[in-house]
């Protein structure tokens, strides 16, 4: 067997293979285009294969088979053309009927020729030349009529669908080319062997193109999808950073449209409201009655993809139902990503709403606290005022018991006053309209120490280098006043030493320490003591309201810092960490530091 | 010598009592204390109308801020924009220590802002300060 024979066998097998592919395509999609593919290539494939084993001079049954197969082969371009018209409307309305008429004539002529002039070597009838030309023209015209729209449909950026269409177009044209050469070769005098090989080669190639066009193997698809991959990745990134459903639509809809070979796509929420659209003529309405859970083609060019909370509607091309089945899988994957992104946005919204509600409640509570504390002051003024009058009154003689009672009332009333003042102060932290400014802590602590001097003459306050912070001055003053007063009052004796120092942490934050050498704070109180109304045991209510440290903690927290108490043995060390963002200038160390 | 006429504007009867007590302890007989229970009465007093028909305006006013009806801000505003009355010193005496109230009172022209102290002694100090100022002799006629 020479090369041409080998090629011929291979070509026959190839077309049989394409016939099988066509059949399986129809089995899978059951669409009209697929049916024509199955018929056209099925008939061609079977015929070509059968003819390989047919005897050279068929008679009887073999003759009938011969006639059938040759008829099928000649009918192929018409069948292929019918496949084309299911995808693209023919430009001239009369074209399909004209094609049918011509095909009928050609098939009839071929049948006649085969029956009455079997064998290639016999003398040909006079009309053989004309017949040949008609067949060539018929084949070429119909092949071009199929190939041209397919080629045009594949124009623009390459996608798997468009690449497949162009591959098919090339296949149809290649087959015509093979035929043309065969026809010319029969009429001309070129060396038969070379021509035969070339013809078979092209025919084999066109079978390959058809095969790849109808059933591209994964690596081919991967190559075709190559340019799409980065676009998909971009879309995924856009999806993950989207903060509104509209942003999701803007990121994904272009990808959806292109992936499925279409121009437009729309995203709807679960109520059928349009979230976003892309493209020249997108759908803007969905039917609320849709209940399906898998992507479905509503008609030959509209695809509906259900999401967990909505719909994507894509205007695809007519080719998509047949050629876009793998792309549908990718689209389903993207739909899952959309589900994820939308539910993330939903959660985010819920969380934000909850946080806002919480903030509002907080504000209301603060206002309530302030209002109550404020209203309590009026009766307190009366109580304190009249206690004094009672004491100073010459009309009333209290006696020692009376004095005692009045004193107790007075102490409690003063304590109430302190409580109310502190509560008012606490409720005001964070509501200040003061602007942060650069505060030199050394100056601030120094001035607080000077103020405290008359009231606590035996207390010694040492101030080491401290940083300069950008904070609200009055809050800073409040913080350090509370801490120093606390240390002075609760040390346990009059002559306590307080040292205020600072240290820089590796992260750039500054830790300021207010340490005293008094009685200290027991370990199990070091956390609790920052709570509201928490006081150390053993002290009378004259020892403080239990609000001062709560105020300190709130101030520090507002600034994004932390406060805690450490053991200083003897005494307690209150350490406040100020975040680096507040530090304007670090503490200036002394020369011998 | 004409007595020093001091007006206390305060809706809380107990606080009125305490303030009056403090002023009288300081001022002795030369002080005449007049009371108004709300803003409307206060305005009647300074204008010498209504229940205070024919009486001369006060030399000094202690003014509470939060009162029902016409409040202290309104009284302050009217007094300080009136050509006859704006020279009368006003001491705002209130339980509020809100910065907004302080600012508003000064904007409207108060002479002083005192948060109600918790002891009559402190109240007496305030009274002493202002009665001494108001009782200064008239400058010689030009």
């Amino acid at each position: 067997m020479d090369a041409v024979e080998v090629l011929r066998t291979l070509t026959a097998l190839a077309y049989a293979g394409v016939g099988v592919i066509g059949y399986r395509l129809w089995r899978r999609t059951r669409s009209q285009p697929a049916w024509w593919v199955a018929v056209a290539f099925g008939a061609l494939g079977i015929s070509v294969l059968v003819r390989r084993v047919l005897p050279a001079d068929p008679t009887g049954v073999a003759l009938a088979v011969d006639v059938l197969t040759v008829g099928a082969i000649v009918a192929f371009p018409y069948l292929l053309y019918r496949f084309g018209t299911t995808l693209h409307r023919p430009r001239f309305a009369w074209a399909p009927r004209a094609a049918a008429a011509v095909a009928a004539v050609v098939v009839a002529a071929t049948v006649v020729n085969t029956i009455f002039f079997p064998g290639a070597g016999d003398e040909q009838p006079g009309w053989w030349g004309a017949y040949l030309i008609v067949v060539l023209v018929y084949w070429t015209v119909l092949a071009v009529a199929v190939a041209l729209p397919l080629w045009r449909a594949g124009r623009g950026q390459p996608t798997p669908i468009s690449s497949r269409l162009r591959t098919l177009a090339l296949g149809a044209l290649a087959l015509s080319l093979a035929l043309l050469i065969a026809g010319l070769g029969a009429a001309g005098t070129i060396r038969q062997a070379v021509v035969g090989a070339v013809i078979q080669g092209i025919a084999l190639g066109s079978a390959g193109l058809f095969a790849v066009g109808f059933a591209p193997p994964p690596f081919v698809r991967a190559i075709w999808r190559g340019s799409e991959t980065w676009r998909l990745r971009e879309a995924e990134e856009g999806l993950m950073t989207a903060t509104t459903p509209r942003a999701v639509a803007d990121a994904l809809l272009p990808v959806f449209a292109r992936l499925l070979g279409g121009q437009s796509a729309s995203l709807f929420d679960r109520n059928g409201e349009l979230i976003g659209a892309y493209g020249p003529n997108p759908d803007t309405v969905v039917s609320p009655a849709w209940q399906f859970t898998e992507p479905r083609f509503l008609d030959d060019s509209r695809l509906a993809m259900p999401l967990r909370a909505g719909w994507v509607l894509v205007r695809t091309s007519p080719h998509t139902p047949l050629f876009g089945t793998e792309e549908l899988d990718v689209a389903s994957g993207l739909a899952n990503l959309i589900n994820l992104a939308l539910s993330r946005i939903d959660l985010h919204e819920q969380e934000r709403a909850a946080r806002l509600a919480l903030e509002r409640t907080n504000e209301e509570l603060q206002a309530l606290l302030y209002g109550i504390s404020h209203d309590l002051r009026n009766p307190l003024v009366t109580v304190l005022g009249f206690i004094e009058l009672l004491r100073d009154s010459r009309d009333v003689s209290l006696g020692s018991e009376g004095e005692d009672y009045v004193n107790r009332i007075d102490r409690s009333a003063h304590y109430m006053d302190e409580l109310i003042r502190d509560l008012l102060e606490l409720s005001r932290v964070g509501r200040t309209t003061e602007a942060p400014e650069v505060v030199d802590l050394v100056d601030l602590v120094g001035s607080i120490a000077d103020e405290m001097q008359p009231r606590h003459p035996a207390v010694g306050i040492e101030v080491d280098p401290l940083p300069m912070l950008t904070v609200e001055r009055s809050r800073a003053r409040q913080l350090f006043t509370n801490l120093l007063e606390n240390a002075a009052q609760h040390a346990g004796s009059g002559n306590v030493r307080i040292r205020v120092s600072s240290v820089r942490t590796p992260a750039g934050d500054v830790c300021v320490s207010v340490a005293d050498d008094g009685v200290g704070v027991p370990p199990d109180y070091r956390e609790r003591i920052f709570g509201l109304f928490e006081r150390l045991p053993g002290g009378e209510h004259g020892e403080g309201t239990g609000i001062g440290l709560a105020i300190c903690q709130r101030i520090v927290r507002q600034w994004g810092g932390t406060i805690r108490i450490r053991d200083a043995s003897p005494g307690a060390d209150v350490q406040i960490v100020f975040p680096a963002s507040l530090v304007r200038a670090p503490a200036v160390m002394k020369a011998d530091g | 010598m004409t007595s020093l006429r001091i007006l206390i504007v305060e809706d809380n009867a107990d606080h009125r009592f305490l303030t009056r007590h403090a002023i009288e302890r300081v001022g002795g007989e030369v002080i005449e204390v007049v009371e108004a229970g709300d803003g409307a009465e206060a305005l009647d007093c300074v204008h010498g109308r209504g229940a205070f028909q024919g009486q001369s305006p006060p030399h000094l006013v202690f003014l509470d801020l939060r009162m029902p009806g016409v409040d202290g801000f309104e009284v302050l505003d009217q007094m300080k924009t009136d050509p006859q009355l704006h020279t009368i010193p006003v001491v705002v005496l209130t339980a509020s220590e809100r910065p907004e109230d302080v600012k508003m009172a000064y904007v409207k022209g108060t002479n002083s802002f005192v948060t109600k102290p918790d002891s009559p002694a402190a109240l007496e100090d305030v009274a002493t300060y202002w009665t001494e100022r108001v009782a200064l002799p008239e400058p010689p006629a030009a």
Side-chain angles (χ1 to χ4, degrees):
Chain A
M1 243 193 332
D2 66 5
V4 177
E5 287 301 311
V6 168
L7 281 175
R8 238 190 220 140
T9 312
L10 283 176
T11 310
L13 286 170
Y15 273 103
V18 178
V20 170
I21 290 174
Y23 170 68
R24 286 173 65 175
L25 194 65
W26 176 72
R27 275 288 299 275
R28 205 177 33 167
T29 64
R30 302 271 174 177
S31 61
Q32 232 204 345
W35 192 86
W36 283 108
V37 167
V39 166
F41 285 91
L44 183 65
I46 295 174
S47 304
V48 165
L49 203 55
V50 162
R51 288 185 73 75
R52 273 317 280 143
V53 302
L54 217 55
D57 263 326
T59 52
V61 171
L63 180 62
V65 170
D66 190 25
V67 166
L68 274 172
T69 52
V70 93
I73 293 174
V74 172
F76 171 74
Y78 172 70
L79 297 173
L80 194 64
Y81 173 72
R82 287 304 302 274
F83 156 70
T85 58
T86 60
L87 292 178
H88 317 107
R89 217 154 294 287
R91 192 178 306 179
F92 308 107
W94 47 261
R97 254 171 284 155
V102 172
V105 165
V106 169
V107 168
T110 312
V111 164
V112 163
N113 180 41
T114 313
I115 294 178
F116 295 108
F117 301 94
D122 289 8
E123 66 174 48
Q124 306 296 344
W127 45 272
W128 174 254
Y131 164 77
L132 210 58
I133 293 172
V134 166
V135 167
L136 285 176
V137 168
Y138 147 83
W139 194 294
T140 311
V141 164
L142 285 182
V144 169
V146 171
L148 211 57
L150 281 175
W151 182 264
R152 264 201 237 113
R155 117 200 96 190
Q157 292 293 329
T159 64
I161 294 181
S162 67
S163 303
R164 283 171 80 166
L165 297 174
R166 293 211 155 176
T167 308
L168 289 175
L170 284 176
L173 290 174
L175 196 53
S176 300
L177 185 65
L179 219 68
L180 270 171
I181 297 178
L184 292 175
T189 55
I190 316 169
R191 259 204 9 216
Q192 285 295 321
V194 170
V195 170
V198 166
I199 291 168
Q200 288 307 316
I202 296 176
L204 186 60
S206 91
L209 287 170
F210 281 126
V212 167
F214 284 122
F219 72 87
V220 174
R221 239 179 272 137
I223 296 173
W224 281 340
R225 198 173 291 139
S227 67
E228 285 299 298
T229 314
W230 68 265
R231 213 183 297 268
L232 276 174
R233 210 154 286 154
E234 249 190 17
E236 281 171 25
E237 264 180 49
L239 207 50
M240 286 307 129
T241 57
T243 52
T244 63
R246 183 61 197 271
V248 170
D250 290 341
L252 255 296
L253 290 180
V255 176
F256 259 103
R258 285 182 43 79
L259 189 66
L260 297 169
Q263 298 285 334
S264 325
S266 323
L267 178 66
F268 299 87
D269 67 14
R270 63 162 65 86
N271 301 319
E273 297 286 324
L274 182 69
I275 296 175
Y278 163 82
N281 192 20
D283 288 283
T284 49
V285 175
V286 293
S287 161
W290 289 343
Q291 293 289 338
F292 40 95
T293 54
E294 291 286 325
R296 186 188 292 188
F297 281 96
L298 302 173
D299 49 46
D300 64 358
S301 67
R302 280 198 314 156
L303 176 70
M305 301 205 60
L307 303 172
R308 196 183 303 143
W311 300 93
V312 174
L313 228 59
V314 187
R315 276 198 180 276
T316 65
S317 71
H319 312 100
T320 309
L322 189 59
F323 294 106
T325 40
E326 288 77 28
E327 278 61 39
L328 265 185
D329 290 339
V330 176
S332 292
L334 283 179
N336 281 332
L337 284 181
I338 290 188
N339 281 333
L340 264 172
L342 285 177
S343 66
R344 179 177 60 83
I345 290 172
D346 211 19
L347 262 172
H348 189 258
E349 273 307 308
Q350 281 178 22
E351 200 206 352
R352 205 173 73 98
R355 190 166 28 94
L356 284 175
L358 190 62
E359 273 174 25
R360 232 175 307 131
T361 306
N362 239 6
E363 276 174 24
E364 284 169 12
L365 280 175
Q366 293 282 64
L368 190 64
L369 179 64
Y370 186 84
I372 291 175
S373 309
H374 192 266
D375 288 346
L376 285 172
R377 296 203 76 200
N378 276 331
L380 197 57
V381 167
T382 305
V383 167
L384 288 168
F386 281 99
I387 287 176
E388 276 302 309
L389 293 195
L390 196 58
R391 279 219 188 100
D392 296 343
S393 168
R394 280 175 281 247
D395 269 357
V396 179
S397 81
L398 290 171
S400 63
E401 237 179 274
E403 285 267 342
D404 180 35
Y405 298 162
V406 168
N407 284 340
R408 288 171 193 258
I409 294 171
D410 192 33
R411 269 209 305 278
S412 267
H414 273 96
Y415 183 61
M416 267 174 65
D417 190 32
E418 238 186 285
L419 263 174
I420 291 172
R421 271 187 220 274
D422 283 353
L423 278 174
L424 280 171
E425 205 48 57
L426 183 65
S427 74
R428 269 207 286 265
V429 174
R431 291 165 86 232
T432 180
T433 49
E434 205 185 335
E437 54 182 279
V438 178
V439 175
D440 186 344
L441 285 186
V442 174
D443 287 345
L444 183 75
V445 174
S447 97
I448 296 173
D450 290 342
E451 261 178 32
M452 281 172 64
Q453 189 63 24
R455 279 174 290 128
H456 304 277
V459 169
I461 301 179
E462 233 178 81
V463 182
D464 283 357
L466 298 174
M468 293 173 62
L469 303 176
T470 307
V471 286
E472 296 88 355
R473 186 175 289 275
S474 66
R475 293 285 164 241
R477 190 175 198 93
Q478 202 171 7
L479 171 67
F480 283 100
T481 303
N482 279 5
L483 289 177
L484 289 169
E485 285 280 351
N486 232 30
Q489 282 173 16
H490 300 120
S493 75
N495 55 337
V496 65
R497 273 191 30 189
I498 307 173
R499 181 149 176 252
V500 186
S501 58
S502 75
V503 101
R504 192 134 192 207
T505 71
D509 305 332
V510 170
C511 178
V512 173
S513 145
V514 178
D516 65 66
D517 61 357
V519 296
V521 176
D524 34 332
Y525 279 89
R526 288 187 199 140
E527 287 274 339
R528 283 173 52 181
I529 203 171
F530 289 103
L532 205 51
F533 305 125
E534 287 284 352
R535 287 168 293 134
L536 289 178
E540 293 293 319
H541 53 230
E543 292 277 344
T545 56
I547 302 179
L549 282 177
I551 293 178
C552 292
Q553 187 181 58
R554 192 176 278 202
I555 294 176
V556 169
R557 279 203 184 144
Q558 285 257 333
W559 288 335
T562 60
I563 182 170
R564 63 179 173 195
I565 295 189
R566 292 239 132 127
D567 188 35
S569 275
D573 181 8
V574 181
Q575 294 181 347
I576 310 128
V577 177
F578 296 97
S581 54
L582 294 179
V583 180
R584 182 76 165 71
V588 178
M589 288 297 162
K590 296 201 182 71
D592 62 2
Chain B
M1 180 156 80
T2 55
S3 55
L4 202 57
R5 208 170 142 84
I6 300 179
L7 170 64
I8 302 175
V9 186
E10 167 66 66
D11 62 326
N12 184 316
D14 291 327
H15 294 189
R16 265 201 317 268
F17 183 97
L18 289 169
T19 308
R20 179 185 211 127
H21 193 271
I23 293 171
E24 284 176 342
R25 268 182 60 135
V26 163
E29 308 96 33
V30 293
I31 288 189
E32 180 199 346
V33 179
V34 184
E35 295 179 18
D38 60 41
E41 265 189 60
L43 289 171
D44 283 348
C45 175
V46 297
H47 283 115
R49 60 180 186 219
F52 301 87
Q53 187 69 40
Q55 301 177 21
S56 58
H59 301 99
L60 173 65
V61 178
F62 286 94
L63 179 64
D64 186 22
L65 285 180
R66 307 263 160 217
M67 293 181 291
V70 179
D71 69 5
F73 287 116
E74 181 62 35
V75 172
L76 186 58
D77 202 30
Q78 284 205 24
M79 282 187 67
K80 290 301 177 181
T81 52
D82 187 308
Q84 315 284 56
L85 304 173
H86 74 271
T87 51
I88 304 176
V90 174
V91 178
V92 164
L93 187 64
T94 176
S96 166
E97 38 182 5
R98 276 202 256 167
E100 311 93 79
D101 288 346
V102 177
K103 184 170 179 181
M104 176 74 93
Y106 276 110
V107 162
K108 291 199 183 290
T110 188
N111 296 80
S112 184
F113 188 106
V114 178
T115 309
K116 270 182 199 156
D118 49 0
S119 72
L123 201 46
E124 283 175 30
D125 289 342
V126 174
T128 307
Y129 177 89
W130 281 101
T131 50
E132 281 178 2
R133 254 148 203 73
V134 175
L136 286 173
E138 298 273 339

